[in-house]
Amino acid sequence: MIHITIPNFNLEKIAQSGQCFRWEPMGDGAYRIPAFGRVLEITQVAEDQVEARCSPVVWRQVWHAYFDLDTDYGLIHGLIPKEDNYLAQAAVHSQGIRILRQPLWETMASFIISQNNNIPRIKGILGRLCQGLPSFPDPEAIAAMGLHALRGMGLGYRAPYLLETARILEETKDIFRLPLLSYGEARKRLMAYPGIGCKVADCVCLYALGHKEAFPMDTWMKRIISEHYGGKIDSTPYAGAEGVMQQYMFYYARTGKT
DNA sequence: TGCCAGGCTTCAC
DNA sequence: GTGAAGCATGGC
């Protein structure tokens, strides 16, 4: 068990921020977090303080990057223009959220499944997909499940998207290439996969590849921009951190009071 | 019950 | 290049 103090770190907010779908709440601020073939048990014990059930070495080698601990979120908050009231409020409300750096394939699969879907149902599908498995099924395992089984898990019309993407990923070995690409290159390459358009590609770029300039444009963001920014948002003041601001606005719109 | 969900593909035009 | 239809499913 290790005790760690981290500025801008709130497990519950991250859990509800819509970027991860397989965290298991254990009560009293504790979560079981599966990633990279491991499971981390971690508890929020105070503001910006957690206790994690792992060794310091594993924390440093695995979870440090997962929780994006090299990024100074205080610095990012400072980029918000004073006159941008909505974003300023969203950032205050969302303080503690970090952009996770999650496994690439799981993120691709999760956001293919997320399209035109709601979060409780996404979690249900992913839970069934991992049922009885020690970790998230790799592309080969998904391909082996076949269309019928995937449909049986509730993927609907997304089943062939996931199946084809799994097959192509196996062939291309893109799992090793995508992390080496720039944001623009990675986005373009991702969009060549069936079931991955600009929004899902941006989610993968942001939540798996660490490209914080990615700004996933979903129905919530479109509504926010329409209602609070006159239909067009200027993100140049916080260039390079667009994805973080997007996350704040998304979380605020979903959980904040009106 | 009907609407909607962290959209994408296809097909007009 | 832009716009609209169609898509499976179940949470609310």
Side-chain angles (χ1 to χ4, degrees), chain A residues 129-147:
Chain A
L129 209 52
C130 300
Q131 191 86 52
L133 301 175
S135 58
F136 193 84
D138 60 23
E140 190 180 1
I142 296 279
M145 290 178 187
L147 205 54

Side-chain angles (χ1 to χ4, degrees), chain A residues 89-133:
Chain A
Q89 286 173 30
V92 169
H93 179 78
S94 307
Q95 184 161 25
I97 294 180
R98 309 181 74 90
I99 303 296
L100 300 175
R101 188 150 186 169
Q102 304 181 79
L104 177 55
W105 162 241
E106 177 171 347
T107 306
M108 290 175 70
S110 298
F111 283 93
I112 285 172
I113 290 166
S114 80
Q115 67 172 262
N116 202 31
N117 214 338
N118 58 58
I119 290 177
R121 216 170 81 80
I122 296 164
K123 289 181 177 176
I125 292 170
L126 289 170
R128 290 190 286 279
L129 209 52
C130 300
Q131 191 86 52
L133 301 175

